[in-house]
Amino acid sequence: MSVPAAKLPLPELAEMKRRDEKIVMVTAYDAPGARFAEDAGVDMILVGDTAAMVVLGHSGTVAVTMDEMLFLTRTVVNAARRPIVVGDMPFGSYQVSDEEAVRNAIRFVKEAGADVVKLEGAGPSVSRARAIVGAGIAVMGHVGLTPQSATMLGGFKTQGRTARAAAKLVDDALELEEAGCFAIVLEAVPSPVAAEITKRLSVPTIGIGAGAACDGQVLVYHDLLGLSEGHLPRFVKRYANLSLEIRDALAAYVAEVRSGEFPEEQHTYSIPEEELALLRDAVQQVEHDHERG
Ligand code: KIV
């Protein structure tokens, strides 16, 4: 019997930053994705609210609900042993008050088994993060492009491109660190700005479209595997083109069922000849009895 891998201790992430060892995070939304990510050696799995788009088919992230996120998080937790599982708090689950934020963070840990939670933004989110950490749940922050407030940011745009906006991002990240966040995602931020933030924080930064100076990187599972189709942000690197393979495989299946090529002998079950003969006799007898009324 193989011994399950031990969970990566959370303080190890800060140690990795200190040792200048890169931290790897990827999103996943189900058990197979979590297993593949774990076997590849990732340190953290984010059950991102990008699920709204890549799994549930919405055009943005705001529509996904707490119950949907809890369900998806549970499927990942069921399969992930060593990686830290991050439950992404959906829009509406922490905006109203610190109390509601704490209540929903507790649901992530208690009902879905998440190790930690993530929330977006600074401003009021700083107080939410502090309250959740105060309740004993570790929090990952997220600044820069925060998709839940994309409308207010003027769309899915790079953030911090003026000295003033960049200085605000530095302040936001410092405030989140001070509130107790154990790591901070920097999304769509110019690399030199992300480097400044990374230098000033003692907790790790995890970049997505924020350059190589971040302490770690995160990408969306469907994007890096080529399961997402259509336009992708410039920060995505595709490591595979699985949507093509899936399309080819499904088209081949459809064609083979229609032509009768599938299933073949090897895909079917047999019955001993004598049992088949008995079956035929029995069926004949039933038909005979039926005809005689
Ligand atoms: O929801 C998500 O997948 C995220 C990443 C893009 C960081 O927040």
Side-chain angles (χ1 to χ4, degrees):
M1 202 177 81
S2 65
V3 182
K7 182 68 71 180
L8 179 70
L10 200 60
E12 184 58 22
L13 298 174
E15 287 302 309
M16 288 173 79
K17 174 176 176 119
R18 210 181 42 76
R19 292 195 298 263
D20 210 11
E21 243 175 73
K22 294 291 183 191
I23 298 165
V24 188
M25 180 160 90
V26 68
T27 69
Y29 314 95
D30 58 18
R35 214 167 42 242
F36 294 145
E38 167 146 24
D39 291 349
V42 306
D43 303 301
M44 287 191 279
I45 299 178
L46 169 64
V47 190
D49 64 355
T50 39
M53 301 166 85
V54 299
V55 178
L56 303 177
H58 295 294
S59 59
T61 60
V62 298
V64 69
T65 65
M66 264 303 287
D67 286 342
E68 287 165 339
M69 288 303 299
L70 293 178
F71 172 85
L72 297 171
T73 305
R74 170 51 69 191
T75 67
V76 168
V77 167
N78 285 343
R81 296 287 167 266
R82 179 183 176 277
I84 293 162
V85 177
V86 185
D88 204 5
M89 299 192 69
F91 180 70
S93 69
Y94 60 93
Q95 280 79 3
V96 173
S97 66
D98 286 1
E99 287 71 20
E100 201 164 311
V102 171
R103 199 172 302 118
N104 283 321
I106 289 172
R107 289 192 71 194
F108 264 102
V109 174
K110 247 183 127 128
E111 296 176 35
D115 296 307
V116 301
V117 296
K118 174 170 90 61
L119 46 74
E120 291 187 5
S125 292
V126 173
S127 151
R128 308 291 184 262
R130 189 175 286 111
I132 296 169
V133 172
I137 298 170
V139 177
M140 175 180 273
H142 182 161
V143 297
L145 171 56
T146 44
Q148 292 177 10
S149 35
T151 307
M152 279 181 52
L153 297 174
F156 289 82
K157 287 186 175 160
T158 314
Q159 301 297 304
R161 295 187 95 170
T162 63
R164 194 178 167 156
K168 169 85 169 67
L169 284 182
V170 176
D171 275 355
D172 289 349
L174 285 168
E175 278 192 39
L176 286 166
E177 175 177 66
E178 195 273 323
C181 288
F182 72 89
I184 296 176
V185 170
L186 305 178
E187 179 164 353
V189 170
S191 310
V193 177
E196 286 296 326
I197 297 173
T198 301
K199 213 162 56 188
R200 283 172 169 70
L201 296 185
S202 58
V203 298
T205 57
I206 310 293
I208 175 161
C214 294
D215 300 304
Q217 298 291 325
V218 55
L219 279 178
V220 169
Y221 186 87
H222 290 59
D223 294 348
L224 86 92
L225 293 175
L227 285 164
S228 309
E229 297 182 309
H231 171 77
L232 288 178
R234 69 177 263 133
F235 57 70
V236 172
K237 178 169 177 182
R238 276 188 200 268
Y239 288 83
N241 212 335
L242 296 192
S243 69
L244 272 188
E245 288 206 36
I246 291 171
R247 285 183 177 283
D248 286 350
L250 287 170
Y253 169 64
V254 169
E256 288 194 6
V257 170
R258 297 225 161 104
S259 70
E261 205 178 322
F262 175 82
E264 297 160 53
E265 192 64 31
Q266 57 180 318
H267 307 118
T268 58
Y269 300 99
S270 63
I271 176 172
E273 272 307 322
E274 58 276 19
E275 293 297 328
L276 194 55
L278 287 173
L279 167 70
R280 286 183 180 135
D281 286 349
V283 171
Q284 248 174 13
Q285 188 59 49
V286 171
E287 278 172 357
H288 186 248
D289 294 350
H290 194 70
E291 276 163 20
R292 293 178 59 201

